[in-house]
Amino acid sequence: MCPELPPSSDILQSGQNQTFKSAKIDAKILQSLRDMVRGDRVAFAEIIECYLTETLRLVQQISAAIATQDIETIWQTAHQLKSSSASVGAIALAQLCKALEAQGRRSKLENSLELLPQLYEEYEQVKTALEKELVKEA
């Protein structure tokens, strides 16, 4: 079972946080996650690994829901992914999920098919950046 991520309250509203240029990971949020586990490298690695595993599953679930126009699954899954992504500092990914969630809640999936490749691309960038962080922790 995956450890609980911290709440992501105002993270999506704050666009001024320092981010890793290519990865779109907010360094301050990632540091606060490290602080939350009191520098425990194993716990930090478990959280990140769990996030990466769950994120791939959720992205695939969103993709399948878009293909079948399952509106409820789209907004619920996008909401879940938005929150966990914001908690690890993946702000751009969280914002994409926020857009999908809003579309699903309004039952208007106007550009969801166009957002899907962006969602996969952003996931890959986040995955690469977080894997680099895991290497630093080893």
Side-chain angles (χ1 to χ4, degrees):
M1 186 164 166
C2 296
E4 186 78 21
L5 291 172
S8 58
S9 56
D10 297 322
I11 292 170
L12 293 179
Q13 276 73 341
S14 63
Q16 298 176 351
N17 287 335
Q18 174 186 357
T19 58
F20 298 134
K21 289 178 185 162
S22 63
K24 299 178 184 148
I25 298 292
D26 187 300
K28 290 181 183 178
I29 294 170
L30 203 57
Q31 185 56 51
S32 71
L33 188 57
R34 280 188 179 96
D35 294 344
M36 183 186 85
V37 296
R38 295 182 170 91
D40 182 336
R41 290 177 173 195
V42 172
F44 179 79
E46 285 177 5
I47 290 170
I48 298 303
E49 288 168 1
C50 184
Y51 168 78
L52 291 173
T53 300
E54 285 299 301
T55 299
L56 178 57
R57 183 184 65 77
L58 294 173
V59 167
Q60 291 169 339
Q61 195 171 344
I62 290 170
S63 179
I66 288 173
T68 61
Q69 297 291 293
D70 182 349
I71 292 170
E72 187 171 339
T73 298
I74 292 168
W75 75 257
Q76 288 179 345
T77 307
H79 174 77
Q80 185 179 358
L81 184 53
K82 174 189 76 175
S83 299
S84 61
S85 294
S87 295
V88 299
I91 302 305
L93 183 57
Q95 288 174 335
L96 275 170
C97 291
K98 184 178 181 179
L100 282 167
E101 177 187 11
Q103 287 180 12
R105 286 186 187 266
R106 290 190 316 266
S107 297
K108 296 195 189 256
L109 302 175
E110 52 281 337
N111 67 338
S112 60
L113 279 174
E114 291 84 29
L115 290 177
L116 199 53
Q118 292 176 352
L119 189 66
Y120 275 103
E121 182 180 330
E122 195 62 40
Y123 164 72
E124 288 299 326
Q125 290 178 1
V126 165
K127 177 181 170 196
T128 299
L130 290 176
E131 286 174 343
K132 287 178 183 176
E133 289 298 312
L134 289 175
V135 168
K136 286 184 198 177
E137 294 296 317

